Amino acid sequence: MTDTSKQSSTTPSSAHALDRTNIESFSIAGAKVFERFFDCPLDYSHPEDKRRVRVFVRHIVPDTKADKMHELPFFLYLQGGPGFESSMPASARGGWYNAAIKEGYQVLLLDQRGTGLSSPVNSATLGAQFATTAEKVEYLSHFRADSIVGDCEHIRRILCEGRKDKESRKLTLLGQSFGGFCITTYLSLYPDSIAKAFITGGILPLVDSPDPVYMATYKRMISRNKQYYEKYPRDIGHVRRLMKHLNDVDVQLTDGGRLSPRRFQQLGLDFGMMGGFDR
């Protein structure tokens, strides 16, 4: 059941973030979940810039250690994507959530800026906020890995405020895909803030240019497309007609964007995923 109790008038505004009572919380198997919002700078490279974004974090605490929030180290999960929010587990008694809890952690699930319940970014919000393409591009430049890492570090400092144990002020990180890219950035910018880092399928190529890496995938993608059309030969005609239609007609999506031929081709991303084009 959701606890929607609001902060009382007697609660001091300077209370530690972990002691706030004006947040929603609920229970899942093995843990209590707190829904926290943080007011973060839009541009960390220019402190004088007063623009802000809201970042949402689900805070998962073992149900037997809810009174230890000020002591337990934090395990922060960075979602893949970019552009996807962090999913909510139905239970903390399985998977890596359970492994982290057994190791003595409390878990943070971040909706990276622009996703989920954090400040949204889409064609509608950009159109409502900005008049020119240049303004939109400038704003979007603050939604890359370095800014996401800036949010993580900002939130870490808030949640770990007042801790005397230096090691408990450090984060342990888990990054999936693009989340691994964010971890590499975090290690570069704030190495002293990290205790451990685990990367799954997200080691970025440490080269001067991504071109050789992408070129290495071309042959594989051609092979996967050939396999698809051998299995579903009638789709050859379907896809050709669909591509012609998308070239000739401006097809609008519900989010205000356009379904262009290149956007349709992004479905090919599934060809490289587990289960491939059959899922």
Side-chain angles (χ1 to χ4, degrees), residues 161-180:
E161 182 183 2
R163 293 195 177 201
K164 296 180 180 179
D165 179 17
K166 182 178 179 180
E167 290 304 308
S168 74
R169 296 200 298 265
K170 296 181 179 181
L171 297 176
T172 292
L173 306 175
L174 171 63
Q176 161 63 22
S177 189
F178 174 71

Side-chain angles (χ1 to χ4, degrees), residues 218-234:
Y218 293 167
K219 290 184 180 180
R220 178 64 173 165
M221 198 64 197
I222 291 171
S223 173
R224 292 295 287 161
N225 273 267
K226 182 179 179 181
Q227 292 173 29
Y228 176 87
Y229 289 120
E230 286 176 347
K231 186 169 185 176
Y232 303 104
R234 296 188 67 178

Side-chain angles (χ1 to χ4, degrees), residues 98-164:
N98 185 49
I101 286 174
K102 283 186 175 180
E103 289 295 321
Y105 292 101
Q106 51 190 325
V107 176
L108 302 175
L109 302 178
L110 178 79
D111 279 1
Q112 297 166 12
R113 55 169 59 194
T115 72
L117 294 178
S118 295
S119 295
V121 171
N122 53 51
S123 58
T125 60
L126 291 173
Q129 288 180 266
F130 306 106
T132 68
T133 299
E135 290 175 324
K136 295 175 184 178
V137 170
E138 189 279 331
Y139 186 72
L140 288 174
S141 71
H142 302 297
F143 287 78
R144 299 177 297 199
D146 56 341
S147 296
I148 293 169
V149 166
D151 292 338
C152 295
E153 181 64 8
H154 180 73
I155 292 167
R156 182 197 69 80
R157 292 174 181 175
I158 292 173
L159 295 180
C160 295
E161 182 183 2
R163 293 195 177 201
K164 296 180 180 179

